[in-house]
Structures are given as structure tokens and as C-alpha cells.
Amino acid sequence: MQIKKILVFLFSFLNFFTSENFPCYGQRCSVNSINQSTHTNTPASIYLQTRNTYSFRLIFHILYLNPEEKISSAQVNSQIEILNEFFSSSTTNEDLNIPKTFRSLKSNPGFQFCLADIDPNGNPTTGIHWFPINNLSVACQMQFGKRSIMHKTLGGVDIWDPKRYINIYIVNRDQCNALGEAIFPWDATTEEDGIILDYRTIGTIGTASNNQPFHQGKTLVHEMGHYFGLLHLSGDRSNCNGEDSVADTPSQSLEYFGCPEYPQWSCNSESMFMNFMSLVDDPCMQFFTKLQVTRMRTIIARDRSDLLNHSCSIKPVIPLDKIRVTELDGFWQLINLEHNSWSAHFELYDISGKLIWLDSEENIISKTIPGINMLLNPGIYFLNIYNKTSKNCFKLLKN
Ligand code: ARG
Ligand code: ZN
Ligand code: CA
């Protein structure tokens, strides 16, 4: 379930500054310069939204006829990096390429992906399995109304429990009519679910490197959008009659391909052809919108909520050196300049070294130190934050 906490902070009277580098009991202490807040004069309510990061375990079934189609685990890992870049960091390589008109609509879904490390029977796995096949027709053939590739009895490989894993099939799709195919949440069954991709679209190395313009791992980003319930912007209908059911993506009378010159117009609005759910070339796909993210999260909660009980066991531990303290109407708030989620323990000490507050959080976007404005006397405080890989320390002044 998506947990949304709306925290309402009322006006308060406090203010604080941080000052120069300070030893902080022997730990590295960051210089955290913050201008004196201007909103202490604004008696307004501030709404802060925090959001859970979702993580998903992937199983790659790689079916190969020729040795070239037996892509390497390094290539699969390069794909996981791309997924994590576009689904879980809010600053990406594409940010500067997004046209200004659309920049503020861009959103970070907050989804992390990892390879499965435990198989359905509880045994260790690398999350990548290779299977020799003797005929490419299994790639897109239907037999008895079923996708052959997802059934062992039809020459394919059975899916792993789709309530616990996202199944990704990799195969040579020369005989199919698209590079990729995803099963929509509302079409999924216990026997058929997941995503099928051509072996040349995976990640950024190996067979992908000479597969321009589909060489940046974005086919799976697009297909993952479908897997979580997103549609093409045109709604796959012509004459502006289609609907992707996302209010902040403009209507389109058609799909864009290649790499169109900006701007393009359709249905009386500027077209967002550079969206991930467009059909343009990899270098020209750049972002998901806020309401596409809302739609994915809503649909996951409705149709794919079981996956949320089986998150990645090994989560990347985010270093804390990009955490900064800001002041919001007298509350101290910790934010990550990288905008991805992070986990940490928190300890607040007063100048005498007395511990006055302690907390731990996992996968948060921001952290507000509760009630500081009510509780603390004016003076200097030290905030230590640490996790498995790093620590950071802030000297805070409350006046
Ligand atoms: N044709 C595929 C689909 O509609 C995906 C196309 C992905 N495009 C890309 N530039 N990688 O699902
Ligand atoms: Zn598509
Ligand atoms: Ca729309």
C-alpha cells in the first residue's frame, strides 16, 4: 500500500543558522550553509509529502538460439542501472534535454529494481537464467490462446510467481512485430505476466551497443510503464479520440516515432513526444509525468499490490553526503540533494553532549525533526546521521 503522510506544519517563531565546519565529536561534519529563512514571517501552512519507495525483484529468462543471443549478466546489470536511473532518481541524465515547457511536470516514480536473489522455492539465485531453444518461433507465437514463451509445455519457460517477481523474457524478436511487449496489470493471469524484450534492447552494452537507436535500455523503461498500467499518449486511437487517462500528458492524434524536432503540435496542444510512453527513439525519450507516476502507484496498489510484499532484500545503501538540513518554519528538515530515498539513524545532541532525540528511518525522501521548535532552548545542537556506509554531522543553531 502506498503510504502518504501529509504533514501540516503551522507557523512557528523559530529560526536557525548553521555555521562553518565543526569537529562534531571527531566525525566528519559538513559545512551546511543555509540562508536565514524568509518564511518565518509567513503565517502559512506548509504541506509536505513523503512517499514510500517501492522495490521490485526481477527474474530474467533469457532464451537463445545463437550464442550472440545469450546476453551476459553484465549486460543485464547495465539494464538494471538504467531502470533505477529513470525510476528512482529524480535527477537523471536527461534532465537538461527536457523542453522547458514540460520540465516541471517531470516526476520520479520512486521505484527500485534488483535481480531476484531467492527463487520461488527459497533457494539462492542470480536472477538470470539462460535457456537454449531450437526455434525462434517461440518468441512471439501463440498456441491454444497462450503465449508459447511463457509455457514450458509450449517450448518456452514457465513464469515465476508473478505476485512475487517481475518476469522479464529476453529473446530474438526478429519474427515479432515489436521490440517489446508488456502484459498490462488488468490482463495478467497467474500463468502469463511480465515483459518480453528483444535481446538487442537490453541495457547499454553488448548486443545493445550496435542497436541504435534502441541502445540505451529505454525499451524496458517504456515496457515497465505498460506493466504498471501506463498507455501510449495517443491512447492508441487516431483523431484525438484516444485517452491515456493521465491528465498532465497532452492528447495526441498519433504516436511519434524517430526523433521529432521540437515543438510538435497535435489536438490543439504542444505534444509531449519525449515522454517515456511515446514511441520515439531511445535518445529522445526522457521522462514520466507526475500524474503518470500517480497512475502507476494507484494501479500497483489496486492490481499489483502483492509485489510490494516482496521487495529487494539487498537495498542499495545511499551515502549520506548529499543530505542537507533546511529550515521550514522553525522545523529542521533533512533532504537529499539527489532526491532519491535513503535510510539513516538520527541522533540529536545538545552542546553538553546530552542525547536529546533519537530515531531511525528506512527509505525516506525527507525527515523532519519533530517538535524541535517547541522543545529546544536557544543554543547549539549537533545532529549525527549515519547508516551502514556513511555518516554525516550537522551543527545547528537555534536562536
Ligand atoms: N514498440 C514497443 C511498444 O510499443 C516499444 C518501443 C520502445 N521504443 C524505444 N525507443 N525503445 O511497447
Ligand atoms: Zn508501448
Ligand atoms: Ca493525457
Side-chain angles (χ1 to χ4, degrees):
M1 276 288 289
Q2 173 182 2
I3 299 173
K4 270 190 181 172
K5 284 185 246 162
I6 308 290
L7 305 173
V8 181
F9 295 126
L10 295 173
F11 175 67
S12 74
F13 307 98
L14 301 169
N15 206 345
F16 88 107
F17 307 88
T18 54
S19 64
E20 292 309 297
N21 227 338
F22 196 84
C24 246
Y25 309 118
Q27 298 183 348
R28 181 165 56 88
C29 198
S30 65
V31 182
N32 193 23
S33 58
I34 300 170
N35 295 328
Q36 181 165 4
S37 167
T38 48
H39 31 240
T40 40
N41 295 324
T42 319
S45 301
I46 307 285
Y47 296 86
L48 274 187
Q49 202 180 47
T50 62
R51 193 189 56 177
N52 271 2
T53 296
Y54 295 160
S55 76
F56 301 98
R57 305 185 301 173
L58 308 180
I59 170 65
F60 281 77
H61 311 283
I62 300 173
L63 287 73
Y64 65 94
L65 182 63
N66 300 316
E68 197 209 35
E69 297 158 10
K70 191 182 178 190
I71 64 166
S72 68
S73 40
Q75 189 172 345
V76 171
N77 277 307
S78 74
Q79 178 66 69
I80 308 263
E81 277 179 32
I82 296 295
L83 283 175
N84 285 327
E85 172 178 3
F86 294 112
F87 277 96
S88 77
S89 34
S90 90
T91 47
T92 73
N93 288 335
E94 296 295 355
D95 285 359
L96 293 174
N97 300 327
I98 302 172
K100 274 208 187 88
T101 7
F102 296 130
R103 237 174 245 181
S104 64
L105 291 174
K106 186 202 128 158
S107 180
N108 163 16
F111 303 165
Q112 288 172 351
F113 298 89
C114 64
L115 289 169
D117 60 349
I118 304 280
D119 77 8
N121 301 318
N123 298 316
T125 175
T126 58
I128 309 175
H129 288 188
W130 291 270
F131 303 90
I133 51 174
N134 40 39
N135 196 322
L136 279 190
S137 62
V138 72
C140 32
Q141 198 175 57
M142 302 283 292
Q143 290 178 80
F144 316 108
K146 296 174 175 179
R147 289 174 180 82
S148 307
I149 198 169
M150 293 186 175
H151 299 272
K152 194 173 177 194
T153 53
L154 302 176
V157 176
D158 289 339
I159 61 170
W160 285 16
D161 181 0
K163 290 183 166 17
R164 293 187 276 164
Y165 304 93
I166 300 180
N167 285 268
I168 314 274
Y169 285 78
I170 311 297
V171 69
N172 180 337
R173 285 178 58 92
D174 276 344
Q175 302 186 7
C176 318
N177 54 20
L179 293 176
E181 178 186 349
I183 298 185
F184 285 122
W186 48 88
D187 291 334
T189 67
T190 51
E191 291 196 327
E192 288 189 17
D193 199 357
I195 296 169
I196 313 167
L197 286 169
D198 187 83
Y199 75 106
R200 288 156 287 204
T201 64
I202 302 304
T204 54
I205 61 172
T207 57
S209 22
N210 37 28
N211 191 39
Q212 290 182 24
F214 307 107
H215 58 305
Q216 296 182 338
K218 290 180 181 169
T219 308
L220 186 51
V221 176
H222 174 104
E223 298 305 330
M224 201 59 86
H226 286 315
Y227 174 88
F228 290 130
L230 295 185
L231 308 178
H232 297 148
L233 269 63
S234 69
D236 292 323
R237 298 184 64 181
S238 54
N239 302 323
C240 313
N241 287 327
E243 184 46 69
D244 66 353
S245 300
V246 172
D248 63 1
T249 56
S251 297
Q252 286 177 194
S253 64
L254 45 88
E255 282 305 321
Y256 291 90
F257 293 91
C259 203
E261 201 174 293
Y262 176 81
Q264 297 286 327
W265 294 79
S266 188
C267 308
N268 300 314
S269 55
E270 209 181 285
S271 300
M272 197 188 273
F273 61 82
M274 69 303 293
N275 188 279
F276 276 124
M277 298 319 290
S278 179
L279 291 173
V280 296
D281 293 345
D282 278 14
C284 306
M285 302 187 142
Q286 283 138 9
F287 67 102
F288 291 113
T289 65
K290 292 194 163 75
L291 294 178
Q292 282 179 318
V293 170
T294 303
R295 180 175 162 90
M296 285 191 272
R297 288 185 158 254
T298 306
I299 287 177
I300 289 167
R302 192 190 67 192
D303 298 337
R304 296 201 180 279
S305 61
D306 292 313
L307 285 174
L308 302 178
N309 301 327
H310 301 278
S311 50
C312 301
S313 56
I314 308 159
K315 297 215 176 67
V317 182
I318 306 286
L320 299 172
D321 56 324
K322 294 286 165 56
I323 306 296
R324 294 292 180 269
V325 183
T326 61
E327 183 275 342
L328 196 65
D329 285 348
F331 288 83
W332 289 333
Q333 193 192 11
L334 292 155
I335 51 141
N336 187 354
L337 294 182
E338 300 277 306
H339 300 281
N340 44 9
S341 68
W342 47 288
S343 304
H345 303 287
F346 306 90
E347 295 167 354
L348 187 71
Y349 295 91
D350 70 11
I351 188 77
S352 73
K354 188 173 139 224
L355 179 66
I356 50 178
W357 173 76
L358 181 75
D359 204 356
S360 291
E361 295 282 6
E362 295 222 339
N363 294 312
I364 51 166
I365 299 288
S366 66
K367 172 74 179 170
T368 302
I369 302 177
I372 288 310
N373 54 347
M374 282 38 131
L375 298 171
L376 299 184
N377 294 323
I380 290 166
Y381 295 86
F382 301 100
L383 177 66
N384 289 340
I385 63 174
Y386 58 96
N387 63 23
K388 282 199 189 95
T389 60
S390 64
K391 55 192 167 192
N392 204 339
C393 166
F394 303 89
K395 179 189 173 191
L396 305 173
L397 179 70
K398 186 197 152 200
N399 53 13

